[in-house]
Amino acid sequence: MSVVLQSLQPVAAFRSIPLFPGLPGGPELLVLFLILVLVGIAPALFVYYDAERNRVPNRLAWTAATFLAGLVGNLVGAGIVLVLYLVVARR
C-alpha cells in the first residue's frame, strides 16, 4: 500500500519547470503595462491642453479618442488621431 502512495506523489523535478519559459511575468508585465499607458497618455495630454488653449468644442472626445487609439494602436494609432485632430478640429 505504501509503495502505491509513494508512486502517486509528484516528482520533485517537475514541480519547478515553468509552463511558459521565456514569457515575462510579475514586475516585467507591470513595466510593459505602464509603458503602454504612458504611450497612450502623452499624446492625449497634448491634445487636451491644445484643445483647451484653442477652445475646441469636443475636447474631451478628442482626448478620449487619442488615448484609446494610443492604447489600441500604440504610437501609430495615437499619431493618426493626433493628425486628424490637428487637421479637423483646429480649423
Side-chain angles (χ1 to χ4, degrees), residues 46-73:
F46 170 77
V47 167
Y48 180 76
Y49 288 127
D50 187 69
E52 280 283 324
R53 188 178 55 216
N54 294 321
R55 296 193 176 129
V56 175
N58 296 328
R59 61 183 148 263
L60 290 178
W62 281 106
T63 303
T66 308
F67 178 71
L68 291 175
L71 286 181
V72 174

